[in-house]
Amino acid sequence: MTVDFNATKALFDLPEGLIYLDGNSLGPLPRAVPARIAEAVQQEWGAMLITAWNRAGWMEMPRRVGDRIARLIGAEAGAVVMGDTLSIKVYQALASALELRPERRVVLSDTGNFPSDLYIADGLLRTLGPDYVLKTVAPEEVAEAIDETVAAILITEVDYRTGRRHDMAALTARAHAAGALAIWDLAHSAGAVDCEVAAGGADFAVGCSYKYLNSGPGGPAFIYVAPRLADQVRPALSGWLGHESPFAFDLAYRPGTGIERMRVGTPPILQLAALDAALDVWEGVSVQDLRARSLELTDAFIAGVTAKCPGLDLATPLDHKSRGSQVSFRHPEGYAVMQALIARGVVGDFRAPDILRFGFTPLYIGLDEVNRAVDILAEILATRAWDRADYKMKAAVT
Amino acid sequence: MTVDFNATKALFDLPEGLIYLDGNSLGPLPRAVPARIAEAVQQEWGAMLITAWNRAGWMEMPRRVGDRIARLIGAEAGAVVMGDTLSIKVYQALASALELRPERRVVLSDTGNFPSDLYIADGLLRTLGPDYVLKTVAPEEVAEAIDETVAAILITEVDYRTGRRHDMAALTARAHAAGALAIWDLAHSAGAVDCEVAAGGADFAVGCSYKYLNSGPGGPAFIYVAPRLADQVRPALSGWLGHESPFAFDLAYRPGTGIERMRVGTPPILQLAALDAALDVWEGVSVQDLRARSLELTDAFIAGVTAKCPGLDLATPLDHKSRGSQVSFRHPEGYAVMQALIARGVVGDFRAPDILRFGFTPLYIGLDEVNRAVDILAEILATRAWDRADYKMKAAVT
């Protein structure tokens, strides 16, 4: 391994003493971000005003930043663009895929998918008409369920609850063999595992930037369209910045070239500036290095908890190939256990009904934190420190 | 008038000497914004990390900030929510309206609408099926064209090119009489004129925040749904934060209560923080004061240009009732004239094919700037200062 992960840790502004294992929900603040946002606000917006769209390169930011993410997901340069939220990008990808398979009516997903992807599919299919169907099977049954009625599979590579990782290349090949398209949601993959969008054959990929890519709350999403398809898709969300010539103000829509047509409205420049600065932490880090270190950390956590924390059931696969960069355990009082952990400075999160979820992010988490987290968890369980009324009372957002 | 507009001007960080008449494209930086963003970045994201969704009130921001905008557009409290871009909000409003009128197939708009609204309608109607039609007539022909085939009218209140203002109450009443719904785009109205969404009877209203509301580049959009309809609409863009219980992670979508269901994905907190701070400038300003001052400014600019600038054709109505808060003139070399103006410190913008566009924003533009802008424009025209090759060479973004 060639990366010095102590050096990357110094690039983040983490509260002293906190063991932050929730970067899979909201990544921490990279030190380069505040100055970059202040620059965008004062030197660009404040001083250049409207001319900053050209002079500060704002108009090109969604593509330029998209290229930086392309490297981290194994995509071709020029095949990724930023904007909107992940839910919107799922809608765009799925609408495009269905229009490319006009004779098919089934979208196949799995019960381990993030619910919003299923909700969005549901809304789109209702709009398309009553003969469209969203079919949802167990994660391990997806491959079997792909047949020639399926227009597209809509799969999240890493399960947000269990951390189980699908085999992108294998499922995509199976989809293609049946004439279906493959849409991959990389929310829990980008910046977490060694994604291989191009090599894996994905037709579309989408993801968010505020988890492992540390862009801050509500940072923009990304969308990838395979270059072989990018000029064929007709955007359902046909906004002006996806037009071939937005500033001609033609009354008729003409899609822009390639991935440009996946742009919709005016891009969120301040959040893009935060993301752009946040991506600096990846300079010199290969996704292979990242992956190796991630497995080292999750292996260590699993081994430690298994040895020291009776009463927890591992929900994450032991097999490396089937594991993302998070580890989850089930516990009947999972919510209260997590509150006790947070009170002791170990921040993971809870997902209903009984999942304790811990994200391992090599850029700022090391083996020392892993071992301390194990010891604190072991002590909480041994002493039943979680068994308090205030820990059991659920907050609105967890 | 009870507002001291010199005091409101002091709330903005405007470059010294610049006459900024382009706040209808990108509002300038309010002085309160940098500190508020820095707080959201460092004290909230940096220090609170994931807990800021509760502790810093992030989850409620789209509604809380929406309420601040509700006052400025004459909407009921609790009827507005922030998020996404204007194009996305147009899609949501139109999809909802069409689902409320399932037996009708026509969407009526006008050629003065902002093209993105038409593009978005086009994409949605294609998704809905081949029997849906987007009918576009001249602005003055909208009222006549409303008949019982029309499901919804989709109208921008103030024309982005000419500044002509539609009569919201009259067109809405006409739409309702024909059984159609009315969707109003307030991009050039909110913060510019005395919008009356509730009194005007609008069913849906949408708008952006980066023009007259000064939220910065790519600030979030807003959507209003009339309370009488809010619990009836079924979102087409059914994202998790519009779910009745987002953190239950149910596999099936159930729309949230009222306007909450118009939320889609994770809100852009940093841009919302900028908007929230930007809205402070409106404390103590009524839209009636704003409107009176706006008409005073546009009257003065029209009178000055008419008297001193031969060769320009007024494109904006003289009639107050039909005027927004911008003034536009046509000139065959409009692009070059605007470049010459910008070089002299008067920033308006150009819209193809021949429109010089000037936005008048009472909170930071006064009569002194209006008069100086007239004099500089008169001199540029008198001396043909615009007749230079470099002024005629168009940039990509104007």
Side-chain angles (χ1 to χ4, degrees):
Chain A
M1 219 175 289
T2 56
V3 181
D4 174 0
F5 285 109
N6 287 317
T8 59
K9 181 174 183 177
L11 301 174
F12 290 86
D13 187 3
L14 282 158
E16 189 65 32
L18 194 76
I19 301 176
Y20 192 63
L21 305 179
D22 208 9
N24 50 327
S25 188
L26 178 68
L29 174 62
R31 291 190 190 280
V33 165
R36 179 67 188 85
I37 293 183
E39 183 189 358
V41 170
Q42 300 202 281
Q43 277 85 63
E44 296 174 11
W45 174 17
M48 297 182 195
L49 291 157
I50 190 66
T51 65
W53 284 106
N54 281 321
R55 287 166 61 202
W58 287 351
M59 199 48 83
E60 283 67 52
M61 273 187 94
R63 279 285 297 279
R64 184 175 61 73
V65 175
D67 272 341
R68 300 187 74 183
I69 287 179
R71 177 178 82 84
L72 300 176
I73 63 169
E76 301 88 341
V80 174
V81 73
M82 311 303 303
D84 307 298
T85 64
L86 177 51
S87 294
I88 296 294
K89 294 298 157 198
V90 168
Y91 192 91
Q92 287 184 291
L94 186 56
S96 296
L98 292 173
E99 204 159 352
L100 289 170
R101 291 292 179 274
E103 71 293 354
R104 298 191 180 198
R105 292 290 178 272
V106 178
V107 174
L108 178 66
S109 190
D110 72 66
T111 54
N113 202 345
F114 188 67
S116 195
D117 291 17
L118 304 178
Y119 304 160
I120 285 286
D122 181 65
L124 172 61
L125 299 190
R126 200 180 74 246
T127 302
L128 282 165
D131 48 343
Y132 280 86
V133 178
L134 172 62
K135 185 173 173 183
T136 312
V137 299
E140 58 275 16
E141 291 166 7
V142 172
E144 275 303 303
I146 298 172
D147 61 27
E148 300 195 351
T149 66
V150 174
I153 61 171
L154 173 62
I155 306 288
T156 295
E157 188 182 15
V158 175
D159 187 307
Y160 77 107
R161 277 192 296 211
T162 64
R164 176 201 34 72
R165 184 182 185 182
H166 273 300
D167 184 334
M168 181 187 289
L171 275 186
T172 300
R174 180 117 186 179
H176 288 174
L181 294 165
I183 303 166
W184 288 94
D185 179 341
L186 308 182
H188 291 269
S189 311
V193 301
D194 49 341
C195 294
E196 288 288 359
V197 160
D203 298 295
F204 298 87
V206 294
C208 62
S209 64
Y210 52 76
K211 296 177 183 290
Y212 293 93
L213 298 172
N214 315 302
S215 70
F222 63 83
I223 187 166
Y224 162 84
V225 181
R228 65 184 173 277
L229 298 176
D231 281 321
Q232 289 179 48
V233 301
R234 287 196 65 188
L237 299 174
S238 39
W240 70 308
L241 289 184
H243 191 281
E244 186 183 34
S245 181
F247 289 90
F249 298 105
D250 292 337
L251 293 182
Y253 183 74
R254 296 191 309 276
T257 304
I259 194 70
E260 286 284 337
R261 65 184 61 180
M262 289 291 128
R263 294 176 68 163
V264 184
T266 305
I269 295 301
L270 306 184
Q271 308 253 182
L272 276 166
L275 171 57
D276 196 26
L279 290 171
D280 289 352
V281 300
W282 296 93
E283 294 297 324
V285 179
S286 76
V287 293
Q288 289 72 31
D289 289 333
L290 176 83
R291 178 64 173 160
R293 177 67 162 178
S294 161
L295 289 170
E296 186 182 359
L297 296 174
T298 54
D299 277 348
F301 190 69
I302 292 170
V305 173
T306 305
K308 298 183 182 178
C309 304
L312 290 180
D313 281 342
L314 181 64
T316 301
L318 276 172
D319 168 29
H320 280 183
K321 198 169 151 48
S322 305
R323 189 193 308 163
S325 195
Q326 81 183 57
V327 176
S328 300
F329 291 93
R330 297 182 191 279
H331 186 281
E333 292 285 349
Y335 183 84
V337 173
M338 184 52 72
Q339 299 315 302
L341 273 168
I342 291 169
R344 296 282 306 271
V346 179
V347 178
D349 61 21
F350 171 78
R351 285 293 175 257
D354 59 358
I355 289 216
L356 293 154
R357 192 171 77 148
F358 303 93
F360 294 89
T361 48
L363 270 55
Y364 54 87
I365 295 293
L367 284 169
D368 177 52
E369 282 98 344
V370 169
N371 294 330
R372 280 192 289 140
V374 168
D375 290 342
I376 293 169
L377 177 56
E379 192 188 312
I380 285 169
L381 292 168
T383 61
R384 291 179 64 92
W386 53 266
D387 193 3
R388 286 171 41 166
D390 57 335
Y391 289 163
K392 293 180 178 177
M393 197 168 57
K394 292 190 187 181
V397 185
T398 59
Chain B
M1 218 176 286
T2 56
V3 182
D4 174 1
F5 286 112
N6 287 317
T8 60
K9 181 173 182 174
L11 301 175
F12 290 88
D13 188 6
L14 283 157
E16 189 67 30
L18 193 76
I19 301 176
Y20 191 63
L21 305 178
D22 209 10
N24 52 326
S25 188
L26 178 69
L29 174 61
R31 290 191 192 279
V33 165
R36 180 66 188 90
I37 293 184
E39 183 191 356
V41 169
Q42 299 198 284
Q43 278 85 63
E44 296 175 12
W45 173 18
M48 298 183 196
L49 291 157
I50 189 67
T51 66
W53 284 105
N54 282 321
R55 287 168 61 203
W58 287 352
M59 198 48 82
E60 283 67 50
M61 273 188 95
R63 279 287 294 281
R64 184 174 61 73
V65 176
D67 272 342
R68 301 188 74 183
I69 287 178
R71 178 177 80 84
L72 300 175
I73 63 170
E76 301 89 341
V80 174
V81 72
M82 312 303 305
D84 308 297
T85 64
L86 176 51
S87 294
I88 296 295
K89 295 297 158 197
V90 168
Y91 192 90
Q92 288 185 289
L94 187 58
S96 296
L98 292 172
E99 202 158 352
L100 289 170
R101 292 290 176 274
E103 71 293 353
R104 299 191 180 199
R105 291 290 177 274
V106 178
V107 174
L108 179 65
S109 190
D110 71 65
T111 54
N113 203 345
F114 188 67
S116 194
D117 291 16
L118 303 178
Y119 304 160
I120 285 287
D122 181 66
L124 172 62
L125 298 190
R126 201 179 75 244
T127 302
L128 281 165
D131 47 344
Y132 280 85
V133 178
L134 173 62
K135 185 172 171 184
T136 311
V137 299
E140 59 275 15
E141 291 166 6
V142 172
E144 274 304 300
I146 298 172
D147 61 26
E148 300 195 349
T149 66
V150 174
I153 61 170
L154 173 62
I155 305 288
T156 294
E157 188 182 16
V158 175
D159 187 308
Y160 77 106
R161 277 191 296 211
T162 64
R164 176 200 37 72
R165 183 182 185 182
H166 273 300
D167 184 335
M168 181 188 288
L171 275 186
T172 299
R174 179 119 188 173
H176 287 174
L181 294 165
I183 303 165
W184 288 93
D185 180 340
L186 308 182
H188 290 270
S189 311
V193 300
D194 49 341
C195 294
E196 288 289 357
V197 159
D203 298 296
F204 298 88
V206 295
C208 63
S209 65
Y210 51 77
K211 296 178 184 288
Y212 293 92
L213 298 172
N214 314 302
S215 71
F222 63 84
I223 186 166
Y224 163 85
V225 182
R228 64 183 174 278
L229 298 175
D231 280 322
Q232 290 179 47
V233 301
R234 287 196 65 186
L237 299 174
S238 39
W240 71 307
L241 289 185
H243 191 281
E244 187 181 35
S245 181
F247 289 89
F249 299 106
D250 292 336
L251 293 183
Y253 182 74
R254 296 190 310 277
T257 304
I259 194 70
E260 285 284 336
R261 65 184 62 181
M262 289 291 128
R263 295 176 67 164
V264 184
T266 304
I269 296 301
L270 306 183
Q271 307 254 179
L272 276 166
L275 170 57
D276 196 26
L279 290 172
D280 289 351
V281 300
W282 296 94
E283 292 299 325
V285 179
S286 76
V287 292
Q288 289 72 29
D289 290 334
L290 175 83
R291 177 65 172 161
R293 177 65 163 179
S294 161
L295 289 170
E296 186 183 0
L297 297 174
T298 53
D299 276 347
F301 189 69
I302 291 171
V305 172
T306 305
K308 298 185 180 176
C309 304
L312 289 180
D313 282 340
L314 181 65
T316 299
L318 277 172
D319 168 28
H320 280 181
K321 200 170 149 49
S322 304
R323 189 195 304 164
S325 196
Q326 79 183 57
V327 176
S328 300
F329 292 93
R330 296 181 193 279
H331 186 284
E333 291 286 350
Y335 184 84
V337 173
M338 185 52 71
Q339 298 314 303
L341 273 168
I342 292 169
R344 296 282 305 273
V346 179
V347 178
D349 61 21
F350 171 79
R351 285 294 176 257
D354 59 358
I355 290 220
L356 294 154
R357 191 172 78 149
F358 303 93
F360 293 90
T361 49
L363 270 55
Y364 54 87
I365 295 293
L367 284 169
D368 176 53
E369 282 98 344
V370 169
N371 294 329
R372 282 193 287 140
V374 169
D375 290 341
I376 293 169
L377 177 57
E379 190 188 313
I380 285 169
L381 292 168
T383 61
R384 292 180 62 92
W386 54 264
D387 194 5
R388 286 169 43 166
D390 56 337
Y391 289 162
K392 294 180 178 177
M393 199 166 57
K394 295 191 188 180
V397 185
T398 60

